[in-house]
Amino acid sequence: MSATSLEAASTTAAVKRSLFSASQSSIKRLRDRFHQVRKFTNALSAGLEPEDCVVQSMPDVSPTKWHLAHTTWFFETFILKKFAPGYRAEIPEYAYLFNSYYNAAGDMHRRDLRGLISRPTVNEAQRYRASIDSHIDDLLSSADENLLDEIAPILVLGMHHEQQHQELLITDIKHVLAQNPLYPVFRSGRARHSVRVEEQTAMEFRPYQFIDFEEALIAIGHNGDGFAYDNEGPRHQALVPAFSLATRPITNGEYIAFVEDNGYKRPEFWLSLGWMTVNEQRWNAPLYWIKRDGVWLNFTMSGLRPVDQFEPVTHVSYFEADAYANWAGARLPTEFEWERAGLSYPIEGNFVEDELFHPAAWHRHPADNHGLEAQATSDRQLYQMFGDVWEWTRSAYSPYPGYRAAPGALGEYNGKFMCNQYVLRGGSCATSRTHIRHTYRNFFQPEKRWQFTGIRLARDPE
Ligand SMILES: [Fe+2]
């Protein structure tokens, strides 16, 4: 072998080595992230008793056990069954029990009957999780470049899917525990972020202001840098006329003024469908509020406690958000207005990692940058755009121009829900900080209120 060909051979070997180590390091990153997400789900449910984990308190709510198993089913169905050579499901019936809504992946058990399933037990669901995790580990350790290219995007989608279910696990168990007259405590960690009473009363209560935005042509949607759901694209230009946006979400104290002004009894503020719902459901306050001896209390993940007037109001439906806005002489923002305003703010705030599981008053925020020292400049900037409460927008959840759902089962993830729902933005105290994006579009039907949903007002130019 000549010196030149020796040199070439050693270069090829070096390239191969570096490709190998590149793929090894990306496999390690993927695997670490996978385990981090999976462990966080386990940690969230760790304080619950098996009896807590099987209850379904309404059709929208899934038992904790179902969340544990369904998120696992996702990896088994879309990765192991497709890509792991010779993989055979240990319990093939789980494919039916733990499919949620993917018609292309086969038949599924009825959603509203999930609470009737006492087997598999919670322990068996946890064993299912551990078994699938180790199969994923095995698959990753034997994966070559080509396989990695195929499975990495699905693995990442599965992790984001699991983070969505972590949020549902929290809002669902809150609804379950709220049915119990003993008002069980999920976590009693609220004190960590509380302030002393004397400090609270000394705090100046600042009304929200409106910040003006000029008309502008802006790029809406995800720019393709990193992970995003398909419903955040295609990125496109949109003309956003001039508008104003409130500096922070509406607080409980402000919402009580609407309640006490007979807001729930005055049809002039309500959409027709909303008015029907209010009367049918006999709503007179947000979900989880009860009045005892003239005092408003609300059920939180830390038990029943007096409504805190400074916290953002939450567990309101689109109908209530819209009625409040009408009462206040304002309106809800469009999702394009929200995205435009939110783009210049970092994704910081009170998220699930703070383990508060409840929205925080802006001046008592766990994130320091939203703390007391910012109070002086509060009229000129937006607060709590991310975390605390999802903010209802007046935009119907519909496809962006040029959107096409992907073919196959995973194309069922978002596209088929683009009917009769409204977009919410910004994430909540139950959302992962690593899950939310400026372009993230959450969506719910207008009567739903068991998520941490709140209100930020917008206005047209005077
Ligand atoms: Fe799911």
Side-chain angles (χ1 to χ4, degrees):
M1 196 180 273
S2 70
T4 324
S5 57
L6 255 179
E7 207 170 280
S10 79
T11 312
T12 314
V15 167
K16 274 190 181 158
R17 262 200 314 278
S18 83
L19 271 179
F20 178 76
S21 60
S23 77
Q24 284 306 102
S25 69
S26 56
I27 286 172
K28 187 184 178 311
R29 267 202 310 277
L30 259 182
R31 190 166 40 207
D32 289 352
R33 184 72 188 128
F34 173 74
H35 285 293
Q36 196 183 14
V37 171
R38 298 283 284 167
K39 276 186 188 150
F40 192 61
T41 309
N42 296 340
L44 284 176
S45 55
L48 296 170
E49 298 296 338
E51 289 85 349
D52 299 322
C53 296
V54 297
V55 178
Q56 179 170 32
S57 48
M58 65 167 169
D60 287 323
V61 159
S62 298
T64 305
K65 180 179 72 181
W66 189 88
H67 287 298
L68 296 175
H70 163 71
T71 47
T72 307
W73 165 90
F74 191 99
F75 293 110
E76 182 182 38
T77 305
F78 298 119
I79 296 186
L80 295 178
K81 285 186 179 174
K82 286 206 163 63
F83 299 101
Y87 178 80
R88 285 177 71 107
E90 241 168 87
I91 303 170
E93 293 79 9
Y94 284 3
Y96 175 78
L97 268 187
F98 299 124
N99 181 1
S100 51
Y101 55 66
Y102 299 86
N103 293 311
D107 289 341
M108 65 212 70
H109 185 239
R110 260 176 60 181
R111 177 182 180 146
D112 56 337
L113 302 183
R114 287 173 189 165
L116 301 183
I117 306 302
S118 59
R119 307 295 174 93
T121 62
V122 176
N123 270 337
E124 285 164 338
Q126 271 150 355
R127 275 207 292 280
Y128 177 44
R129 286 181 72 81
S131 156
I132 297 302
D133 286 356
S134 89
H135 280 293
I136 292 281
D137 270 348
D138 292 346
L139 181 66
L140 279 176
S141 35
S142 61
D144 61 18
E145 280 296 308
N146 291 339
L147 182 61
L148 191 62
D149 283 351
E150 287 204 84
I151 64 174
I154 309 172
L155 200 61
V156 170
L157 178 65
M159 295 182 221
H160 283 272
H161 170 254
E162 180 134 357
Q163 289 186 308
Q164 280 185 289
H165 278 278
Q166 288 164 356
E167 174 152 8
L168 291 170
L169 187 155
I170 291 164
T171 53
D172 289 0
I173 197 66
K174 179 171 183 178
H175 194 266
V176 167
L177 297 176
Q179 310 311 311
N180 187 334
L182 301 177
Y183 296 116
V185 168
F186 175 76
R187 294 282 167 86
S188 54
R190 277 204 53 78
R192 194 155 68 84
H193 296 303
S194 298
V195 288
R196 294 190 310 275
V197 173
E198 58 272 27
E199 216 174 323
Q200 182 178 328
T201 46
M203 207 68 75
E204 184 193 3
F205 176 76
R206 296 181 72 93
Y208 59 85
Q209 308 288 324
F210 281 95
I211 294 188
D212 297 335
F213 291 83
E214 294 296 314
E215 176 173 285
L217 190 65
I218 57 160
I220 289 288
H222 196 258
N223 63 9
D225 188 11
F227 176 84
Y229 286 122
D230 63 351
N231 64 4
E232 294 165 60
R235 191 167 160 90
H236 62 284
Q237 298 282 310
L239 181 70
V240 182
F243 68 101
S244 309
L245 193 64
T247 42
R248 59 164 173 75
I250 294 304
T251 60
N252 287 328
E254 286 154 352
Y255 198 81
I256 286 173
F258 166 69
V259 175
E260 289 179 351
D261 195 29
N262 281 324
Y264 279 86
K265 298 204 162 35
R266 295 168 61 181
E268 66 264 35
F269 302 131
W270 295 81
L271 288 161
S272 167
L273 215 50
W275 185 240
M276 224 162 71
T277 310
V278 163
N279 288 295
E280 271 173 18
Q281 304 293 324
R282 301 182 178 194
W283 287 348
N284 59 5
L287 180 64
Y288 301 129
W289 283 32
I290 50 170
K291 204 168 195 179
R292 268 193 201 159
D293 304 325
V295 178
W296 282 113
L297 306 175
N298 67 352
F299 179 70
T300 72
M301 296 296 257
S302 313
L304 193 66
R305 60 187 181 84
V307 166
D308 182 323
Q309 64 164 322
F310 295 111
E311 287 169 0
V313 67
T314 189
H315 297 302
V316 287
S317 62
Y318 176 83
F319 294 139
E320 288 159 297
D322 179 74
Y324 179 88
N326 286 329
W327 173 81
R331 63 170 172 81
L332 299 177
T334 68
E335 63 168 322
F336 292 169
E337 288 168 343
W338 196 101
E339 188 165 323
R340 184 193 171 191
L343 274 176
S344 49
Y345 290 86
I347 297 183
E348 287 167 352
N350 168 26
F351 290 106
V352 69
E353 291 84 355
D354 294 293
E355 296 187 42
L356 205 54
F357 307 112
H358 198 73
W362 69 273
H363 59 267
R364 273 182 261 152
H365 222 262
D368 287 337
N369 58 315
H370 289 277
L372 285 170
E373 70 277 22
Q375 205 172 4
T377 55
S378 68
D379 294 353
R380 298 307 335 141
Q381 72 172 92
L382 300 172
Y383 290 87
Q384 295 174 294
M385 286 294 277
F386 297 97
D388 288 306
V389 290
W390 285 103
E391 298 179 8
W392 283 107
T393 75
R394 67 181 349 188
S395 297
Y397 178 51
S398 57
Y400 285 169
Y403 172 84
R404 292 295 290 264
L410 288 174
E412 295 183 57
Y413 203 109
N414 281 312
K416 70 181 186 182
F417 300 108
M418 290 173 172
C419 175
N420 291 348
Q421 313 214 41
Y422 283 87
V423 173
L424 300 106
R425 293 298 196 118
S428 80
C429 55
T431 311
S432 271
R433 185 174 273 109
T434 54
H435 182 66
I436 195 72
R437 286 173 294 281
H438 292 87
T439 54
Y440 195 105
R441 307 172 78 201
N442 196 3
F443 49 91
F444 278 100
Q445 288 96 352
E447 73 281 8
K448 303 297 186 202
R449 50 185 206 163
W450 93 110
Q451 298 301 301
F452 287 97
T453 46
I455 309 168
R456 185 186 297 268
L457 298 181
R459 264 193 337 209
D460 295 315
E462 306 273 282

